Amino acid sequence: SPAPREPSLCRTASPKHPSQGSVMAASMKIQLPSVRHAVLRGSRMSGRGTAVAARRTSNRMAGKVSLSVTAVASQDKIAVPELRSDADSLTESMLLHFQYTLGEDPTTISSSPSDAYRALACTVSERLAANFKKTQDHFRKTDPKYAYYLSMEFLQGRALLNAVENLDIDKEVRAALAKVGYSLEDMVEEELDAALGNGGLGRLAACFLDAMATLDLPCYGYGIRYSYGMFKQLIEEGFQKEAPDYWLTLGNPWEIERPKVAYEIPFGGKVTKDGKWTPEESVMAVAYDNPIPGWKTDNTISLRLWGARPMQEFDLSQFNVGKYTESVASATAAGTICSVLYPEDSTPEGKMLRLKQQFFFTSASLQDIIQRFLDAGHTDWDTLPEHAAVQLNDTHPTIGVAELMRQLMDTHGLEYAQAWGITCKVFSYTNHTVLPEALEKWSTDLVKELLPRNMQIIEEIDAKFAKAMKDAGVEAEVIARMKPIGEDEWGPGSDVVRMASLAMAGSHTVNGVAFVHSELIKTTVLKDFYAVMPEKFQNKTNGVTQRRWMAFCNPEMRELITTTLGTEEWIGDMSILKQLEPLAEDKDFQAKWRACKRNSKVKLAEEVKERTGYDINPDSLFDVQIKRIHEYKRQLLNTLRCIDAYTKIKAMTPEEKAKLTPKVVMIGGKAAPGYAMAKKIIKLINSISELVNNDPDVGDLLKVIFLPNYNVSFAEAIIPATELSQQISTAGTEASGTSNMKFAMNGALLVGTLDGANIEIWEEIGEENGFIFGAKVDEVDALIEARDTFEPCADFTAALKRIEDGDFGEKDTEFYQMILDALTGEDGAHYLPKDFYLLGYDFPAYIKAIEEADELYRDQFEWTKKSIMSVANMAKFSTDRTIAEYAKDIWNVKATKC
């Protein structure tokens, strides 16, 4: 490698404001250490060829940095200094980064929190990178079987606190920050959430990575490095507005760019009958590693994200003739691929972009997996399944079945039969829905246009699969429903590629994500496959990481539990929390438990005031529903409950009001930009909020708050403060849910239906410790059929009448007519049959469950007892258990500790 040039950022910057030159007390005098850390920064990059040892020495007399370089023979070893993590070393590293990485004057550090955060992030990320390199070196040496988790989204949240806690340097970081005038909490607030996901699917993937690292499993996560995330949610006059989420504005100190790890991704063009593909365009997928640390281990794995770059960055010939836009057209087109998560797909261009995204990251990931297999010296392709297990998270990456076939056949010369045998042993597929319309399908015309060679392979898979099913005695009608290519029963009748069917054909295992969900897919969306190949089906009930969702986001409860139990081992083994059960009725422990909860409520109240302008009383019952806005999740049921409660409060006497439980109902979540119904629900919630929260007759008896721009870091404030969690989806529609687990782990009681993981949670904690209502899974179909003869209760009808009468605005525009049609209109007035999600049927039981919760809350001894019992019995819902089951039952991957 050539000798590096003297870095241009190694300078002393002038203070941004003259008055900031010396803002700290004399006792906080900063002395900039000698510059000797460049080799450590360089150690984060992989390089080949002649090694170079660089040593920097500070030349104070000349006021500059000199650099001496000594070439070292490739066979010699370079002794890289160990990164120390004592407080003084961390402070020193921060100051060096502040001046030499950021180019800022270190005397201004205490008045520049944003830059201080970036300097701290660089400091901590170096230590992560050291463990990451150590882990990768160990994996290369031991050559284990890897598990690869492919997901369109990873909702990571903030990285700083997670890294500090997992590196076990919390005390040292706090001491280092104190020297420059900050707390760790100050720095955490400076970090922007990584905008790489939307909802439960992405957050589950992030929790899984945490568990993989903690369990010392050789794993990679693969996804896309989105520039702007999904969107930042703004609320203007009650309406959701979408804005770009500029999370990369100041760069990402937690990632390691790998420009040498890049793969060509082809699109469009033509393909011959014998499979020779001539693409119309190609882009390069470039790797960015995001180290993921584990708890109580040095093992640090990677979330490898792909960024898109053009094959030709800039066309000088176009530029020279004045075609400036055309000269950067290829760069613009490549950048579009990674711009936004889930682009609006109501247009042909939107559909094209979504499929392009899915193929882009899946193809790059599979090329990377194969390259790792080859780099380890393997030459027998039949052993690939012994070294790689690929988990497809939902249908988004299932184009990978055809793409692995393409790479094995076209790039590496395998015959179809051998390639198919390998493919079916490599892939496994996680299903996340029982809604047929939610199973992804792509028009065959679209796939042919964008991925002509892959479409050719899918057609061959389809034909051979149909023949195999016929040979197995499967009826033609059933085969037609199972084939990867078929008619779209939810669309205009054109042929589509059914991505779930492609996944089922090319995977050795399919799993659901909760027991009831895994049973339902056998009788609904995947029933034909279960009848023919039942051995493929498993259940893997979801979990969440107790590190982020208990220990890190709820430090006061963590301290109480740790002090009480005399150990922090519960953070790695939640079964230890069972020891809290005998304390559930201990009045002194209960008082401490309630104090923790109230402190969390006070903090959330401050956040709500800042975001919405509303004051809420921390002594009220905090009643929360935070989820992606969707009809089956039934935020509308919760909204109608608020209308009902408001109507009844207005009719009460002062004596009756005195008996009520004051409550704050909080609802948060984003609506997909093209989902009109969800957006109208958000508007209705905000309209109710404006009326109720400003009514002096109601006061603190009821507040209704819409929580804007709900994301991971906001959830970390909401969940510890919540006392009643709404888990109210129609039975049989929620695959699992994971917010239910997070809330229960933090002592909230659940009100909900027997749906998804709610069932298993109540099996563990006891049904008496929650509020169950509503139709059961085996009752839903009959109730849907009987909707035309069903008469909803008077309170439900009255709530709808208030909407119709314009009590919540929009009276003359019929803005809410879509909501009314969905619940009471004739079939055909809405895109789903009337009250398809049974809000009218479940409403009376729901109101009764809410009233039971209100009554119990007035008995704080009993409420707190149930809260403690919930936490004590949530061990099953740790992702450590979930991932251990995946590793053992599906991937056959073993732990290997570095």
Side-chain angles (χ1 to χ4, degrees):
S1 301
R5 297 177 182 177
E6 187 171 346
S8 60
L9 286 182
C10 291
R11 59 180 173 80
T12 301
S14 300
K16 294 181 178 178
H17 303 286
S19 62
Q20 293 179 352
S22 178
V23 295
M24 291 176 288
S27 60
M28 294 173 61
K29 183 179 179 181
I30 293 177
Q31 181 176 355
L32 187 65
S34 299
V35 186
R36 57 178 183 274
H37 77 311
V39 68
L40 304 183
R41 292 288 292 170
S43 70
R44 295 180 64 183
M45 301 182 182
S46 60
R48 297 178 182 177
T50 304
V52 173
R55 179 174 54 86
R56 296 186 177 208
T57 56
S58 178
N59 187 336
R60 296 178 184 172
M61 294 295 292
K64 65 181 181 180
V65 176
S66 62
L67 182 67
S68 60
V69 180
T70 305
V72 181
S74 59
Q75 66 269 21
D76 293 341
K77 292 183 178 179
I78 299 176
V80 179
E82 183 179 350
L83 285 168
R84 299 186 302 275
S85 294
D86 58 277
D88 289 340
S89 297
L90 293 173
T91 303
E92 175 183 309
S93 182
M94 275 187 65
L95 294 172
L96 286 167
H97 280 298
F98 198 85
Q99 176 155 338
Y100 296 114
T101 302
L102 306 182
E104 299 291 344
D105 183 347
T107 63
T108 69
I109 190 169
S110 61
S111 59
S112 181
S114 175
D115 289 336
Y117 157 72
R118 292 166 64 200
L120 175 62
C122 289
T123 296
V124 176
S125 67
E126 283 182 334
R127 281 132 186 93
L128 274 185
N131 281 354
F132 177 54
K133 184 179 185 304
K134 176 182 174 183
T135 305
Q136 297 307 306
D137 289 345
H138 175 70
F139 289 165
R140 280 190 287 269
K141 180 180 178 180
T142 56
D143 189 24
K145 181 178 182 180
Y146 289 89
Y148 299 104
Y149 198 81
L150 273 61
S151 179
M152 274 294 283
E153 51 175 300
F154 289 87
L155 197 56
Q156 292 291 104
R158 292 166 170 165
L160 176 59
L161 185 60
N162 188 67
V164 167
E165 290 280 6
N166 279 307
L167 287 169
D168 196 21
I169 55 172
D170 178 89
K171 292 180 181 178
E172 292 81 0
V173 168
R174 290 180 183 277
L177 287 169
K179 294 182 180 183
V180 292
Y182 292 109
S183 68
L184 180 55
E185 288 72 23
D186 293 332
M187 295 295 93
V188 168
E189 288 303 313
E190 291 298 320
E191 183 177 1
L192 299 176
D193 276 37
L196 300 170
N198 172 40
L201 185 79
R203 187 52 236 171
L204 176 73
C207 285
F208 276 7
L209 293 180
D210 175 272
M212 292 169 187
T214 296
L215 297 177
D216 299 319
L217 296 172
C219 299
Y220 271 82
Y222 280 111
I224 295 178
R225 184 181 183 265
Y226 300 103
S227 299
Y228 307 109
M230 188 173 179
F231 59 84
K232 181 179 181 180
Q233 184 189 54
L234 306 176
I235 301 298
E236 298 179 2
E237 297 183 351
F239 293 92
Q240 172 182 291
K241 302 294 183 182
E242 299 89 32
D245 192 343
Y246 295 105
W247 74 285
L248 287 172
T249 300
L250 298 177
N252 180 10
W254 302 103
E255 68 184 12
I256 304 170
E257 184 178 3
R258 304 286 194 190
K260 294 181 181 179
V261 182
Y263 302 97
E264 182 177 351
I265 313 298
F267 298 110
K270 298 179 180 180
V271 63
T272 63
K273 289 184 178 181
D274 60 357
K276 185 177 180 181
W277 185 7
T278 305
E280 180 182 9
E281 65 168 317
S282 294
V283 299
M284 294 299 293
V286 179
Y288 292 79
D289 280 331
N290 294 259
I292 307 295
W295 174 256
K296 299 293 185 183
T297 178
D298 286 345
N299 276 45
T300 302
I301 63 172
S302 176
L303 168 57
R304 177 160 284 185
L305 302 175
W306 300 105
R309 291 183 184 171
M311 300 296 291
Q312 181 181 1
E313 192 84 30
F314 179 68
D315 190 334
L316 185 59
S317 63
Q318 293 273 29
F319 187 86
N320 285 340
V321 295
K323 295 182 178 180
Y324 306 125
T325 301
E326 292 86 343
S327 69
V328 294
S330 60
T332 301
T336 301
I337 295 174
C338 297
S339 291
V340 176
L341 167 67
Y342 300 143
E344 170 55 36
D345 64 350
S346 59
T347 65
E349 293 80 6
K351 290 180 172 64
M352 175 76 78
L353 180 55
R354 278 212 187 191
L355 181 56
K356 210 171 195 180
Q357 286 183 330
Q358 294 178 7
F359 180 74
F360 166 79
F361 100 89
T362 303
S363 176
S365 303
L366 292 173
Q367 290 183 65
D368 199 45
I369 290 166
I370 289 174
Q371 190 60 52
R372 189 169 294 109
F373 173 76
L374 295 173
D375 285 346
H378 302 296
T379 57
D380 183 354
W381 286 103
D382 287 328
T383 66
L384 179 61
E386 298 171 16
H387 296 275
V390 180
Q391 189 72 38
L392 304 171
N393 189 30
D394 212 351
T395 52
H396 307 127
T398 55
I399 190 65
V401 172
E403 175 60 7
L404 182 57
M405 290 289 291
R406 184 185 74 84
Q407 292 183 27
L408 291 175
M409 293 190 297
D410 296 0
T411 304
H412 301 286
L414 276 64
E415 295 296 326
Y416 181 96
Q418 184 184 13
W420 184 246
I422 293 168
T423 296
C424 292
K425 293 176 183 176
V426 165
F427 285 114
S428 48
Y429 158 58
T430 300
N431 173 278
H432 284 275
T433 184
V434 295
L435 305 177
E437 67 274 17
L439 292 176
E440 256 187 336
K441 305 173 187 71
W442 295 111
S443 155
T444 53
D445 291 338
L446 174 62
V447 181
K448 285 177 182 176
E449 179 183 355
L450 186 66
L451 307 170
R453 175 58 177 145
N454 292 80
M455 188 66 227
Q456 198 176 55
I457 293 171
I458 292 170
E459 288 170 344
E460 190 167 1
I461 292 171
D462 181 74
K464 291 183 183 295
F465 179 80
K467 183 179 184 303
M469 293 298 99
K470 182 179 179 181
D471 293 345
V474 180
E475 295 179 0
E477 183 180 348
V478 176
I479 295 173
R481 294 196 300 263
M482 296 173 69
K483 288 165 73 266
I485 299 174
E487 187 175 320
D488 183 9
E489 63 274 23
W490 288 85
S494 60
D495 279 352
V496 294
V497 179
R498 302 161 174 158
M499 303 311 289
S501 296
L502 183 62
M504 288 301 304
S507 299
H508 59 80
T509 304
V510 58
N511 69 278
V513 291
F515 178 78
V516 66
H517 169 243
S518 296
E519 293 302 303
L520 276 171
I521 62 176
K522 297 175 183 178
T523 59
T524 55
V525 290
L526 299 178
K527 64 180 180 180
D528 294 325
F529 290 95
Y530 181 68
V532 176
M533 46 191 78
E535 70 282 356
K536 285 191 176 186
F537 286 70
Q538 291 191 25
N539 173 58
K540 293 290 171 278
T541 297
N542 284 341
V544 300
T545 171
Q546 66 270 25
R547 265 79 62 181
R548 181 178 289 268
W549 294 112
M550 287 184 72
F552 304 164
C553 77
N554 199 342
E556 291 192 38
M557 188 176 80
R558 171 186 180 174
E559 178 64 23
L560 174 60
I561 292 173
T562 298
T563 301
T564 302
L565 299 182
T567 180
E568 271 203 340
E569 291 300 311
W570 63 270
I571 300 175
D573 179 6
M574 283 185 66
S575 65
I576 295 171
L577 293 176
K578 192 80 171 173
Q579 297 174 29
L580 293 175
E581 274 195 354
L583 298 171
E585 297 186 3
D586 183 288
K587 291 185 177 180
D588 289 339
F589 184 71
Q590 278 202 0
K592 295 174 184 177
W593 191 269
R594 285 193 292 271
C596 290
K597 180 65 73 173
R598 192 181 189 283
N599 289 340
S600 295
K601 292 170 70 177
V602 170
K603 293 175 185 176
L604 178 58
E606 293 171 353
E607 181 79 6
V608 168
K609 173 69 173 178
E610 182 178 337
R611 287 179 179 243
T612 71
Y614 288 121
D615 290 303
I616 58 175
N617 183 355
D619 293 319
S620 299
L621 169 61
F622 279 18
D623 177 335
V624 174
Q625 184 181 20
I626 45 174
K627 294 175 178 290
R628 173 171 57 94
I629 307 296
H630 198 287
E631 286 165 271
Y632 84 83
K633 294 179 182 289
R634 300 206 294 190
Q635 287 92 350
L636 185 54
L637 179 63
N638 194 357
T639 304
L640 295 173
R641 179 267 295 220
C642 293
I643 295 174
D644 179 65
Y646 176 63
T647 302
K648 290 174 179 176
I649 290 172
K650 291 288 287 182
M652 286 182 179
T653 64
E655 292 76 19
E656 290 172 323
K657 291 179 181 179
K659 298 177 182 178
L660 293 178
T661 299
K663 70 175 63 175
V664 181
V665 178
M666 290 176 263
I667 303 173
K670 294 179 179 179
Y675 193 175
M677 182 69 167
K679 286 187 162 184
K680 290 179 186 293
I681 292 171
I682 289 175
K683 170 59 177 169
L684 178 59
I685 296 167
N686 282 300
S687 296
I688 294 168
S689 176
E690 184 176 1
L691 179 64
V692 172
N693 298 349
N694 293 298
D695 191 332
D697 290 342
V698 176
D700 284 344
L701 291 177
L702 177 65
K703 297 291 184 187
V704 179
I705 308 289
F706 185 81
L707 302 171
N709 202 38
Y710 165 61
N711 57 15
V712 174
S713 56
F714 198 9
E716 289 170 356
I718 296 167
I719 290 170
T722 298
E723 293 165 300
L724 185 67
S725 170
Q726 301 277 337
Q727 305 292 333
I728 57 177
S729 54
T730 310
T733 60
E734 185 74 81
S736 168
T738 51
S739 70
N740 45 11
M741 303 170 190
K742 296 164 195 165
F743 282 112
M745 283 183 181
N746 284 272
L749 304 190
L750 308 185
V751 55
T753 53
L754 290 170
D755 192 27
N758 291 355
I759 299 169
E760 292 170 75
I761 290 174
W762 279 314
E763 287 174 353
E764 295 296 311
I765 70 175
E767 291 187 2
E768 69 278 6
N769 294 314
F771 309 95
I772 302 171
F773 76 93
K776 297 179 174 62
V777 171
D778 58 1
E779 299 172 339
V780 167
D781 287 344
L783 290 169
I784 290 175
E785 290 298 320
R787 290 186 323 281
D788 287 338
T789 58
F790 174 75
E791 289 292 333
C793 69
D795 288 341
F796 182 81
T797 303
L800 294 180
K801 186 67 166 58
R802 294 203 65 173
I803 298 173
E804 185 178 12
D805 289 346
D807 291 0
F808 307 105
E810 313 300 329
K811 179 176 182 180
D812 298 326
T813 64
E814 297 185 349
F815 179 80
Y816 295 123
Q817 193 59 47
M818 179 182 286
I819 291 176
L820 299 173
D821 286 344
L823 298 178
T824 63
E826 298 297 323
D827 284 356
H830 187 54
Y831 72 95
L832 288 172
K834 179 176 64 177
D835 199 10
F836 186 74
Y837 294 111
L838 301 181
L839 277 67
Y841 179 84
D842 278 350
F843 189 80
Y846 177 48
I847 297 302
K848 182 179 179 183
I850 293 295
E851 290 171 348
E852 289 173 358
D854 290 349
E855 182 178 355
L856 181 67
Y857 192 74
R858 292 191 284 273
D859 184 345
Q860 281 291 291
F861 178 85
E862 284 299 317
W863 184 279
T864 308
K865 173 185 172 183
K866 293 178 185 294
S867 174
I868 296 168
M869 291 296 291
S870 293
V871 175
N873 290 282
M874 285 296 292
K876 175 180 177 178
F877 304 100
S878 166
T879 40
D880 296 349
R881 185 270 312 158
T882 309
I883 289 300
E885 291 180 1
Y886 273 99
K888 177 177 178 290
D889 301 338
I890 298 179
W891 304 333
N892 192 28
V893 168
K894 311 293 184 185
T896 174
K897 192 176 180 69
C898 70

